Amino acid sequence: MEVIIVLVPIALLLGLGFLVIFIWATKSGQYDDLDTPSVRVLFEDSVNNNKKEEKL
Amino acid sequence: MDLERVNSEQSALEAHLCTHCAQAIAPNEIIINQNQQAFCCHGCMSVHTLLLSNNLQDFYKYQESGINLRDRKATTKTNEKYAYMDSEAFIKEFTTLENGKLKIHFLLEGIHCMACVWLIERIPHLENFVTQASFNMGTNLASFTIDTGLEYSVSKLATTLDMLGYTPHPYDINSGKEGRLSNRKDILQIGVAASAMSNIMIYAISNYAGATKEYAQVFDAISLALCLPVILYSARPIYKSCISAFKLKTTSVDIPLAIAIVFGFILSTINFAKGTGPVYFDSITTLIFLILLSRYFVKMLTQKSMSTKGISSLFFNTGIKRIDEKGGAKQVYSSEIKLGDSIECSEDERIIFDCTLLSDSALILNTINTGESTPIVMHKGERIDAGAICIEDGIRLKVEEIGMKTKLGRNLAAIESNSISKNPATAWAQTISKFFTISILGLSAIVLIMGFIQGNITQAFESVLAILIVGCPCAFAIATPIVIATRINKLKSLGIFVKNEASLEELNNTQNIIFDKTGTLTKGNFEVISFKKFGDNNEASLLAIAYALESGVQHPIAFAIKKYAKDKLKGDTNVLAHDKAFIAGSGVGAIINNKKYFIGKTQNDKQQVGLYEEVGNNKELLALFRIEDSIREESKSLVNFLRNLAINIHLSTGDNSSKAIETAKELGIPDSQIHIEQNPHQKLELAKKLNNTTFIGDGDNDALAMVKANVSIAIGSRADIAMRSCDIYLANDDIALIAPLFRVARDVRKTLRRNITFAITYNIIGIGLALFHIITPLYAAILMPISSVTVLLSSLIPMLGLEKRILNLKEKN
């Protein structure tokens, strides 16, 4: 059971890591527009890709 | 005859569909380009040519069927219309400069489907100074990056957008920043709660499963640590609304919630420190997460982006033709106009200042201020209020009042700031939850005081916690938003957009319903029913004369006559009229082929329009047009439906027409409930006077009443202000949707009542047991989710077959 002393911090760190990624994603505006990207992905245009997400 | 030409025309006619907008074309309106493609209008053809010449034909691949591109208003003279956007004042106000790149945002009107998104994001193909374009469907906001190194022109960009059929409104990105940041904060709070909840579960379940002493202590410590950010950060909206409820001296579900959360957390921490007694870090976190999530769904589904915020800037930020000393007109940005300036307005332009007229006379449409839908003639020196629409070209005006000081500005400010208080709502669920909240708080206080008196404080605390957790109004806090959210989503699929979620419940209390006549009950488009000629003139020449007289006149009746004449003449309308004179409320006179003609109202019958030849002082009747604005088929069945619900139906119209009264009579509305010649303020008074009113309208002049009425429904998407100030709007111009809306409202009420009955029964039993210490907080914490699940099932099961019930079984109910 002592292994839990190693596992618990790993689990907590993993959880914290994902939370940090989530906060970063939100702050960089990835959740601002949930409708358009689902449509944009269907466009098959290779000539001019301006799909780069905009940071507002 | 040229056989090939005939063949190609034949094939185009057979298709009958416009190559660009895919709408059916009237045979006489067909336009064929050099590639033998058929178009319904020159606007469509030029957009098609533009797309093809820039290799953007993929647009048609993404176009969804059934989308009507034609209702996009292609405007003429667009080149000068947006010229003001190149002015320094405009650039300064609406653009931001980052590393030599200019950023500008436009709110676009007329987005239909993904093809539109595709096209807007390909703007860099059309205008090479635009380096990047992206569009947000949720907010209808397009942002463009302009390379200032190249020769650029914002007005050219706007003109291109307009030409493609998207009317651009400049948008100040900083004004929307607040809303966007608050949305991000909501997501962050939910994310933090979700993350904490899922991690806490690992340790909580280990403890429930019977972890041994030291491990249990460590696990509880971890749970406490994970719970902290949720208590301190995620739950903030709950505390906030609890505090504001205290400040406003009202009750809210959030009061017992906040108390249960804080109290539960403190007690759990004490128990943890003591090393004995139950801890509830997991329940608290889960509770907060579920509440935040269900509220977020409701917020997402209600159309918050269509709020009244910023409507005044939609009106006031535009280009104005200012007249300089030399008498020439130059387009400037509206903020550059000062008091006393002279301006020129052209046809179809909205006057955005209070002005006095400098021209000898002008024909204007003042619907927004007076509610009257027929144009009126103003004379030199008379005052014209802001908001009126000019329907003649080259009208000169002197600016007397600007922006928020104008009458329109004051009205818009009132709508925007919500300073008109809504009639008080009387939602049953709210009353119950108020009562419930008060009794739980009261009960807790009594138990606590009893504990003090008896000296058994620990047990009293435990009882209070059990009461708070069992009595925690989850049925209100979680199930209610879910009931509302699922119903709103269903309505959305029918084309009914709910902006104010409380209105769904409030709709059930409707006692009086006010219809705005123009356009809501009638089809709103006049039609020539019959044409009768007198004397021996030939029909075609008379129609051509009528067409020439009415050409350039922006009045529904004129449109009807023009359409009728054009259809009959197959587009061959080559007659020119001179010396046109408009006679207010009467008609138009002009000279054609050296003869004087007049077209307008006949003396005794308002539904007839006569065409006269004036010989000296005599008028000779040449022909009669019979005009009708037909009642919508659906109006009658709707009126019957509403009457069955015991709702009084009122009609309120800005016009003083026998037609309105006739319409009302045909629908069986009693005289006392017909209100004619109503200006926007009278409509407001009417909405205030009647109890539990629902206002159904479609015009800008209804906006004040809409803000006041308990529930307001806007029909169609023609009027900007109406759409922004209503609670619910019907995207399709279909009044038949009102009955399903009412049925959904009934379903919402029924479900909420059932939920509340469940919850209260359960709570009373639970609280009773808790009071007598039969159940401890641990059982309470287990029972609570069970009650939540019951209520959730009760909310979701009626969704099965809901659509069928509200649409098909119209007669039952």
Side-chain angles (χ1 to χ4, degrees), chain B residues 594-635:
Chain B
N594 297 323
K595 282 183 186 166
K596 230 175 156 185
Y597 290 98
F598 175 81
I599 190 162
K601 274 183 189 158
T602 53
Q603 256 143 23
N604 29 30
D605 191 345
K606 288 203 166 163
Q607 267 168 272
Q608 302 220 12
V609 170
L611 176 64
Y612 303 89
E613 184 183 342
E614 290 179 24
V615 187
N617 279 337
N618 286 332
K619 279 184 181 175
E620 194 196 331
L621 185 64
L622 300 176
L624 274 178
F625 294 87
R626 191 167 178 80
I627 310 279
E628 253 178 44
D629 183 8
S630 36
I631 291 187
R632 297 188 201 212
E633 291 291 311
E634 308 89 357
S635 300

Side-chain angles (χ1 to χ4, degrees), chain A residues 1 4 8 12 19 22-23 26-27 29 31-33 35-36 39-40 42-45 48 50 54 56, chain B residues 61-62 103 114 117-118 121-122 125 133-138 143 180 184 187-188 191 195 203 215 222:
Chain A
M1 274 300 272
I4 216 153
V8 165
L12 285 175
L19 185 64
F22 174 77
I23 291 171
T26 312
K27 291 218 159 150
Y31 292 92
D32 285 356
D33 181 5
D35 302 316
T36 327
V39 165
R40 208 176 275 147
L42 298 171
F43 300 149
E44 8 173 325
D45 191 349
N48 183 357
N50 46 5
E54 208 194 336
L56 293 174
Chain B
K61 204 164 76 187
Y62 298 116
K103 265 203 167 161
M114 58 188 271
V117 178
W118 182 85
E121 299 196 338
R122 297 301 171 282
H125 289 250
S134 74
F135 182 72
N136 183 334
M137 281 170 92
S143 57
R180 207 172 47 247
R184 281 185 193 171
I187 296 174
L188 281 179
S195 165
Y203 310 101
Y215 286 117
I222 295 171

Side-chain angles (χ1 to χ4, degrees), chain B residues 499-693:
Chain B
K499 283 169 55 194
N500 175 1
E501 64 270 19
S503 59
L504 263 189
E505 266 182 274
E506 187 60 21
L507 208 53
N508 291 306
N509 300 323
T510 306
Q511 287 173 2
N512 293 291
I513 202 159
I514 308 171
F515 282 100
D516 164 59
K517 197 243 14 168
T518 7
T520 46
L521 288 174
T522 53
K523 280 182 185 152
N525 45 354
F526 291 88
E527 254 180 279
V528 175
I529 304 290
S530 69
F531 171 76
K532 203 168 135 195
K533 72 175 178 102
F534 302 95
D536 39 309
N537 288 301
N538 95 14
E539 192 178 314
S541 70
L542 288 177
L543 285 172
I545 289 166
Y547 186 87
L549 282 168
E550 296 281 27
S551 68
V553 181
Q554 305 281 324
H555 187 273
I557 292 180
F559 285 129
I561 291 176
K562 278 187 277 187
K563 186 171 178 287
Y564 182 79
K566 205 175 167 189
D567 283 353
K568 283 276 168 181
L569 297 170
K570 312 240 181 298
D572 184 21
T573 50
N574 290 324
V575 177
L576 283 176
H578 310 279
D579 295 332
K580 223 174 248 190
F582 299 94
I583 299 157
S586 172
V588 196
I591 295 170
I592 297 167
N593 298 336
N594 297 323
K595 282 183 186 166
K596 230 175 156 185
Y597 290 98
F598 175 81
I599 190 162
K601 274 183 189 158
T602 53
Q603 256 143 23
N604 29 30
D605 191 345
K606 288 203 166 163
Q607 267 168 272
Q608 302 220 12
V609 170
L611 176 64
Y612 303 89
E613 184 183 342
E614 290 179 24
V615 187
N617 279 337
N618 286 332
K619 279 184 181 175
E620 194 196 331
L621 185 64
L622 300 176
L624 274 178
F625 294 87
R626 191 167 178 80
I627 310 279
E628 253 178 44
D629 183 8
S630 36
I631 291 187
R632 297 188 201 212
E633 291 291 311
E634 308 89 357
S635 300
K636 285 182 197 166
S637 56
L638 177 66
V639 165
N640 287 333
F641 172 79
L642 294 173
R643 209 166 271 147
N644 286 340
L645 297 177
I647 295 172
N648 289 322
I649 297 158
H650 298 258
L651 194 76
S652 162
T653 168
D655 294 325
N656 169 21
S657 65
S658 53
K659 186 71 205 154
I661 298 167
E662 241 170 78
T663 309
K665 289 231 167 92
E666 210 176 321
L667 292 167
I669 299 170
D671 285 353
S672 61
Q673 292 171 11
I674 302 171
H675 314 269
I676 55 167
E677 285 187 304
Q678 300 274 301
N679 69 29
H681 280 279
Q682 285 169 311
K683 287 188 180 185
L684 172 74
E685 285 305 313
L686 184 66
K688 202 194 248 173
K689 196 177 77 192
L690 298 168
N691 288 329
N692 295 331
T693 42

